[in-house]
Amino acid sequence: MATDATAGTTASPRYTKVAIWLHWLIGAAVIVNIGLAMLTEGLPRETHREAMAIHKALGVTVLALTLIRIAWRLGHRPPPLPASIPAWQRPLSRIVHFLFYALLILLPLSGWVWMSAADRPIDFFGLFTLPPIAAPGKALADTMHERHEMLGLTMLALVIVHVLAALKHQFVDRSGVNARMNPF
C-alpha cells in the first residue's frame, strides 16, 4: 500500500475504474433527480411536466446503472477499508452501502409502479416507452406516490450523510479512504 505524504496515512487500494465511474454516474444522476423532483414542484405545469419526464427517464437510467454496478460488484471485491477507520464505522459503512443499493433499486421501481398504476407511461428520452408493470388503479397509484416520495426523502438524507462522511474522512480524519473512489 502507498503512503500518503500529505496526511501521513496509508492509502487503500482503489476500486476498479468501472466501479468508480458507475459510482459517480449514479451519484450525479441521483442528485440531479432529487433536484428535479424538489426544485420544479412550484414551476408552471408544462415546465414541471418536462422536468418530470427527464426525472422518470433518469430514474430508469439509475436503475439500469445500479443493476450493472451490482453485477460488476459480484465479480469484483471492493478494496478493504484503511486500517485507520475505527471499528465502529466499519459495520456502519456496510449498512449505508446496503441501504444505498436498496434505495437505488426500490426508488425507481416504486416510480415505475406509480406511473403504471396512474396509467402514465414512462418515455425513455424519446427512444422508447417502458411497459407498465402494474395494472392501472387510483388506490395503488396514490400509495406508490406516497412511498416514492418517502423513499426519495430517505435517499436525500442518505446522500447528505454520505457526502458529510466523505468530507469528514477527507478533511478531518485524512484517512485516505476517498482516494479509493477518485476517478482521476
Side-chain angles (χ1 to χ4, degrees):
M1 294 199 309
T3 300
D4 180 347
T6 60
T9 61
T10 304
S12 292
R14 293 169 48 81
Y15 279 89
T16 65
K17 287 188 187 301
V18 171
I20 289 169
W21 283 103
L22 286 169
H23 170 270
W24 288 104
L25 286 171
I26 292 167
V30 165
I31 290 168
V32 167
N33 249 6
I34 290 170
L36 285 170
M38 299 184 95
L39 301 176
T40 65
E41 194 66 38
L43 295 179
R45 185 179 180 110
E46 188 56 37
T47 304
H48 179 71
R49 188 175 318 171
E50 290 171 9
M52 287 301 96
I54 295 168
H55 174 87
K56 293 171 195 177
L58 205 49
V60 172
T61 304
V62 166
L63 178 60
L65 290 173
T66 299
L67 294 175
I68 292 168
R69 177 132 192 238
I70 290 170
W72 184 260
R73 168 73 171 72
L74 291 174
H76 302 82
R77 293 182 55 93
L81 289 169
S84 61
I85 301 296
W88 68 269
Q89 288 181 12
R90 293 169 183 274
L92 193 58
S93 172
R94 284 190 289 280
I95 291 167
V96 167
H97 282 90
F98 173 81
L99 290 173
F100 262 126
Y101 281 115
L103 286 170
L104 289 168
I105 292 170
L106 293 174
L107 196 50
L109 283 178
S110 68
W112 193 355
V113 172
W114 169 25
M115 291 298 102
S116 296
D119 201 20
R120 292 187 281 183
I122 297 174
D123 175 71
F124 187 77
F125 298 114
L127 300 173
F128 58 88
T129 301
L130 270 68
I133 58 173
K138 183 171 176 17
L140 179 59
D142 290 346
T143 298
M144 293 313 295
H145 179 193
E146 289 176 20
R147 300 245 166 93
H148 187 73
E149 286 187 351
M150 179 194 66
L151 290 170
L153 291 172
T154 304
M155 177 63 85
L156 173 62
L158 204 56
V159 166
I160 291 169
V161 166
H162 186 64
V163 169
L164 290 175
L167 291 170
K168 177 189 176 292
H169 285 299
Q170 183 68 31
F171 298 110
V172 176
D173 300 341
R174 298 185 184 272
S175 66
V177 73
N178 291 351
R180 303 172 339 142
M181 198 51 85
N182 185 339
F184 303 108

